[in-house]
Amino acid sequence: MQLLNSSQYAIRILSYIANNREKSLYNAKELAEILSIPYKFLTKIMTDLVKAEFIISIRGRDGGYKLSKPASDVTVIEILDIFNEFVNYEQCVLGIGKCDGEHKCAMHDRWIEPKNLIQKMFEETTLENLEGRDFKLC
Amino acid sequence: MQLLNSSQYAIRILSYIANNREKSLYNAKELAEILSIPYKFLTKIMTDLVKAEFIISIRGRDGGYKLSKPASDVTVIEILDIFNEFVNYEQCVLGIGKCDGEHKCAMHDRWIEPKNLIQKMFEETTLENLEGRDFKLC
DNA sequence: ATCAAATACTACTAAAAGGTAGAATTAAAA
DNA sequence: TTTTAATTCTACCTTTTAGTAGTATTTGAT
């Protein structure tokens, strides 16, 4: 019951960039240090974010990364989709396929409410909403 | 954002046994077939359940498995604990350690409500509550 | 005693996630 | 034009989870 490290890192990275507008570009080295993410793993994730068009990268000396769109346009669920998380809304908590009115898994009824809440949270939370938080390790 | 296969299987197995009181013992072969769980993987999980004292096993010919305690005494969260899931209540959704009033992760406030709901659900749901559901693949 | 049918144990393989290493590419600056 | 600092690419290694194979052990029935 936890998000993939990749997803967690991606949210923290995008969230950090979105809420520190002083600089126009952030490079991998400083992001890795500030956010306590292994450098090489971070660069891999950045490439994913570039390919998914959430981030624009500037290569070469003095290059770096920046958001490709306004923070208010990026929802958490879109970030999760990059890593194929939480895509199967219909998937039941016991992983036995689609749960509907006819076929319910053992926990179906009890899972609906929290599932909908989480889904709503991920859909409605944008990078803008994540402002003013700590990003380092607690 | 999904339970481990082991946890899912364990819940389905215990839930099935709890709600089919006709027989006093269930063997691995029939459980594997009825619940669509790979036989060898199921026997491994059964051994875990026996060691965790949720299941009593009878070895030898005509042996099998049965619950070690009343269905109403077994909560879902206890089952998850066998596989070390959902033990860290304090763990935040972005996996950056303890989130408290002073140090909040980027999603802290939004995560509290669904997290508490899920926790409550796992704590309050017993095998008895899972009665009357389908257990096969939908 | 032997057989048959069951669980338990040991060890392995496969797939996915997490992470690392090093070279290639890009582009500004000296 | 060379250096330098950045991203990108390819390939690999490690850990965890998932699943499989084969043997040993147990025990009731014949």
Side-chain angles (χ1 to χ4, degrees):
Chain A
M1 284 307 276
Q2 221 190 328
L3 296 178
L4 298 180
N5 279 10
S6 301
S7 304
Q8 295 179 19
Y9 289 157
I11 294 170
R12 278 159 63 192
I13 294 163
L14 291 169
S15 181
Y16 177 77
I17 296 176
N19 295 296
N20 285 271
R21 305 297 182 82
E22 309 114 32
K23 305 178 63 176
S24 58
L25 280 183
Y26 296 85
N27 67 48
K29 189 156 171 273
E30 63 181 319
L31 290 174
E33 276 171 14
I34 294 169
L35 302 173
S36 306
I37 299 172
Y39 172 76
K40 281 290 191 178
F41 197 29
L42 180 134
T43 60
K44 185 184 272 185
I45 291 169
M46 294 316 288
T47 312
D48 291 338
L49 295 178
V50 169
K51 282 177 179 154
E53 299 186 329
F54 287 84
I55 286 285
I56 290 171
S57 66
I58 311 295
R59 299 185 62 170
R61 185 170 173 160
D62 296 342
Y65 303 101
K66 64 180 176 186
L67 290 189
S68 69
K69 39 193 165 187
S72 56
D73 284 7
V74 181
T75 65
V76 170
I77 205 154
E78 290 173 318
I79 301 169
L80 300 185
D81 280 351
I82 301 173
F83 305 99
N84 297 312
E85 275 204 282
F86 218 77
V87 183
N88 300 315
Y89 302 129
E90 312 251 317
Q91 180 85 14
C92 80
V93 72
L94 296 188
I96 56 175
K98 283 190 184 177
C99 276
D100 53 33
E102 287 182 56
H103 300 94
K104 294 180 178 179
C105 79
M107 292 209 56
H108 183 81
D109 294 337
R110 292 165 189 277
W111 175 236
I112 291 176
E113 196 185 349
K115 189 188 97 169
N116 288 341
L117 252 185
I118 293 174
Q119 190 168 322
K120 194 156 171 283
M121 170 182 82
F122 287 151
E123 281 168 355
E124 293 180 354
T125 305
T126 69
L127 293 181
E128 200 178 28
N129 302 141
L130 296 177
E131 202 147 2
R133 299 288 168 220
D134 287 346
F135 299 97
K136 300 184 112 171
L137 287 174
C138 300
Chain B
M1 285 304 277
Q2 220 190 329
L3 297 177
L4 298 180
N5 278 12
S6 300
S7 303
Q8 295 179 18
Y9 290 157
I11 294 170
R12 277 158 64 191
I13 294 163
L14 291 169
S15 180
Y16 177 79
I17 295 176
N19 295 296
N20 285 269
R21 305 297 182 81
E22 310 114 32
K23 305 179 63 176
S24 58
L25 281 183
Y26 296 85
N27 66 49
K29 191 158 170 272
E30 63 182 319
L31 289 174
E33 277 172 13
I34 293 168
L35 302 173
S36 307
I37 298 171
Y39 172 77
K40 280 291 190 178
F41 197 29
L42 180 133
T43 60
K44 186 184 273 184
I45 291 169
M46 294 316 288
T47 311
D48 292 337
L49 295 178
V50 169
K51 282 176 179 153
E53 299 187 327
F54 287 84
I55 286 285
I56 290 170
S57 67
I58 311 295
R59 298 183 64 170
R61 185 169 173 158
D62 296 342
Y65 303 101
K66 65 180 176 186
L67 290 187
S68 69
K69 38 193 164 185
S72 57
D73 284 7
V74 181
T75 64
V76 170
I77 205 155
E78 290 173 317
I79 302 169
L80 299 185
D81 280 350
I82 301 173
F83 305 99
N84 297 312
E85 275 204 282
F86 218 77
V87 183
N88 299 317
Y89 303 130
E90 312 250 319
Q91 179 86 14
C92 80
V93 72
L94 296 188
I96 55 175
K98 283 190 184 179
C99 276
D100 54 33
E102 286 184 57
H103 299 94
K104 294 181 179 181
C105 79
M107 293 208 56
H108 183 81
D109 293 337
R110 293 164 186 276
W111 175 235
I112 291 176
E113 196 186 349
K115 189 188 98 168
N116 288 342
L117 252 185
I118 294 175
Q119 191 169 321
K120 196 157 172 281
M121 170 182 82
F122 287 150
E123 281 169 355
E124 293 180 354
T125 306
T126 69
L127 292 181
E128 199 179 29
N129 302 141
L130 297 177
E131 203 147 1
R133 299 289 169 220
D134 287 347
F135 300 99
K136 301 182 109 170
L137 287 174
C138 302

